Amino acid sequence: MQFRDLQKQYKILKSDIDYAIKQVLDAGNFISGSQVTELESQLASYAGVKHCITCANGTDALSLALMAWNIGEEDAVFVPDFTFFASGETPAYEGAVPVFVDVEEDTFNISAESLEQAILQVKEEGKLVPKVIITVDLFGQPADYPAIRKIADKYHLLILEDGAQGFGGKIGEQMACSFGDISTTSFFPAKPLGCYGDGGAVFTDNDDWAALLRSYRIHGKGSDKYDNVRIGINSRLDTLQAAILQVKLKAFREYELRDVNHAAERYSCQLADYVRVPFIKEGFYSSWAQYSILLDSEEERNGLQAYLKDRGIPSMIYYPKPMSRQTAFEGMDCVKTDLSVTEQLCCRILALPIHPYMEAEEQDMVINCIKDFKSCRS
Ligand SMILES: *Cc1c(COP(=O)(O)O)cnc(C)c1O
């Protein structure tokens, strides 16, 4: 069994993907082909945002946003402690100070309450200027934007939505990657919408920021590539990846999102009496980058992972370590707050195989294994 079966997806989309790739090879327009701008307008219209700027990966997407806002020394950037490293790495790389904030116990997303406390703590210490909140749409569910936006407005902070795992999610009818002042996503192969290598995108409604993002993405270009008006980076999405994404976006919209939600529902119905299943807020919709359950203890979590492995079922731990405890942040300028929920989650969480092409029989194997494991322990 595969954790996320990309070969199966390819088998089903093969003729369209092979044709799209062949068109790029025949035209030889490997960089900045027309597929890139076509994809950008398709992604912008899907997310309901004015501008989409594609780039080389989801990490660069975050960096580009911070560059456009000129975030650096003495700026405080608030980041959830329970996320992939890039969310905290990028503000630190720009010279800003990451402030680690705890998450909600039920959704695993940044806690509005802990965020406000962290902002007050930084203001009271008086050394840093609070500038940006990086919200993460963890495992596919949008963060609580109604609550976070209120806090951002109250303290005059910008929201950078890290939608690397959240593309396709919604609150009501509003799509993920439209909640931030700038929002980003990743097309890493295992993300909800993935390409066949690295890729990413930045979204914003703001014309000035969009122009800056387009410039920073290509060596700080001015009127053309050989007119350089600022120090930028080289971070383009190549034409092959854009062509592949155009095919995959169609499947994503037409049935993949629906099918992965169906699979998640099936897990939750069958497992709710045995383990803590994911909690989706009223009116929220997840794109299920991960389906993560909570066990009672670290010992039980590790036991279940070994039990599944012996039976050929892969599972993953996202994340085994709070970001604030990564070696890279040791002795570095950063601010820690009360992070006790994150500490707990790292010990108890386990992600199960899920993807839009998962068969009911495969899912039943996983479900029965978990039931057996729980019953032989009680
Ligand atoms: C994957 C991921 C990123 C980085 O995306 P890459 O395309 O791998 O650079 C950033 N933030 C989160 C939350 C992610 O899951």
Side-chain angles (χ1 to χ4, degrees):
M1 188 184 304
Q2 300 257 338
F3 189 70
R4 194 171 184 94
D5 200 338
L6 295 172
Q7 284 116 306
K8 197 156 168 192
Q9 183 197 41
Y10 175 59
K11 245 191 197 161
I12 288 161
L13 302 177
K14 187 177 179 350
S15 62
D16 286 351
I17 287 180
D18 288 357
Y19 180 73
I21 290 174
K22 188 174 180 301
Q23 282 196 311
V24 179
L25 299 185
D26 286 342
N29 54 351
F30 302 110
I31 300 289
S32 309
S34 60
Q35 290 89 335
V36 179
T37 38
E38 280 165 27
L39 176 72
E40 286 178 342
S41 63
Q42 289 160 3
L43 292 169
S45 106
Y46 179 70
V49 174
K50 195 166 170 194
H51 303 280
C52 169
I53 298 100
T54 53
C55 62
N57 56 68
T59 305
D60 280 2
L62 291 168
S63 293
L64 286 164
L66 295 168
M67 289 167 89
W69 286 339
N70 197 24
I71 298 302
E73 270 170 50
E74 280 157 45
D75 293 336
V77 177
F78 300 84
V79 195
D81 197 28
F82 192 58
T83 176
F84 180 63
F85 190 60
S87 320
E89 177 186 33
T90 45
Y93 188 81
E94 295 303 318
V97 178
V99 180
F100 302 110
V101 178
D102 214 357
V103 296
E104 297 175 329
E105 207 264 339
D106 53 2
T107 66
F108 317 138
N109 278 329
I110 192 166
S111 149
E113 208 177 299
S114 306
L115 172 65
E116 184 155 27
Q117 276 167 17
I119 295 168
L120 292 172
Q121 183 181 324
V122 167
K123 284 175 87 83
E124 195 171 296
E125 283 167 10
K127 285 188 293 221
L128 303 168
V129 186
K131 285 273 177 77
V132 177
I133 305 161
I134 298 186
T135 51
V136 177
D137 302 336
L138 202 74
F139 304 153
Q141 177 169 210
D144 191 344
Y145 290 100
I148 305 293
R149 181 55 76 185
K150 267 192 209 136
I151 295 174
D153 288 348
K154 183 168 169 189
Y155 297 98
H156 309 291
L157 304 181
L158 292 162
I159 296 179
L160 172 51
E161 175 185 6
D162 179 351
Q165 301 180 15
F167 194 77
K170 288 188 272 195
I171 305 177
E173 287 309 305
Q174 192 179 342
M175 300 300 295
C177 293
S178 75
F179 295 109
D181 295 293
I182 297 182
S183 304
T184 64
T185 197
S186 162
F187 304 122
F188 182 84
K191 307 281 177 174
L193 177 63
C195 60
Y196 287 158
D198 279 307
V202 192
F203 299 83
T204 186
D205 279 328
N206 183 298
D207 298 341
D208 297 333
W209 294 337
L212 280 171
L213 290 162
R214 291 188 197 286
S215 167
Y216 278 118
R217 167 177 70 164
I218 304 180
H219 304 291
K221 78 180 172 82
S223 51
D224 67 66
K225 193 167 107 176
Y226 300 102
D227 172 36
N228 309 95
V229 296
R230 54 183 65 84
I231 301 300
I233 57 178
N234 174 22
S235 184
R236 286 174 294 231
L237 180 75
D238 53 60
T239 314
L240 272 172
Q241 300 303 343
I244 290 159
L245 280 167
Q246 284 188 294
V247 177
K248 291 232 219 170
L249 178 60
K250 192 162 173 283
F252 185 78
R253 299 176 72 148
E254 283 176 1
Y255 62 87
E256 284 188 356
L257 254 184
R258 179 198 68 205
D259 291 354
V260 78
N261 267 276
H262 185 73
E265 224 166 87
R266 215 157 165 276
Y267 264 148
S268 291
C269 283
Q270 300 283 324
L271 291 174
D273 290 341
Y274 299 86
V275 294
R276 247 280 305 281
V277 297
F279 174 75
I280 303 298
K281 285 191 176 175
E282 178 81 38
F284 285 52
Y285 184 81
S286 176
S287 56
W288 298 103
Q290 304 297 339
Y291 184 94
S292 296
I293 58 171
L294 282 184
L295 285 304
D296 294 332
S297 66
E298 181 163 23
E299 183 257 323
E300 189 187 51
R301 189 269 311 270
N302 294 349
L304 175 60
Q305 184 167 43
Y307 190 89
L308 291 171
K309 186 171 178 227
D310 287 346
R311 286 152 188 81
I313 298 171
S315 64
M316 303 290 281
I317 298 173
Y318 300 119
Y319 295 89
K321 211 183 200 183
M323 186 164 49
S324 59
R325 293 217 277 118
Q326 291 288 353
T327 313
F329 287 117
E330 266 172 36
M332 233 185 112
D333 219 4
C334 59
V335 178
K336 292 183 192 177
T337 57
D338 176 7
L339 301 165
S340 47
V341 174
T342 300
E343 295 279 348
Q344 270 293 311
L345 293 175
C346 291
C347 298
R348 293 172 49 206
I349 206 154
L350 191 67
L352 303 179
I354 195 167
H355 55 84
Y357 301 89
M358 195 167 190
E359 305 280 352
E361 299 78 61
E362 278 181 305
Q363 235 189 329
D364 288 341
M365 268 180 67
V366 182
I367 291 162
N368 291 330
C369 248
I370 294 171
K371 287 182 179 174
D372 291 346
F373 174 80
K374 284 297 274 193
S375 57
C376 72
R377 282 171 62 96
S378 57

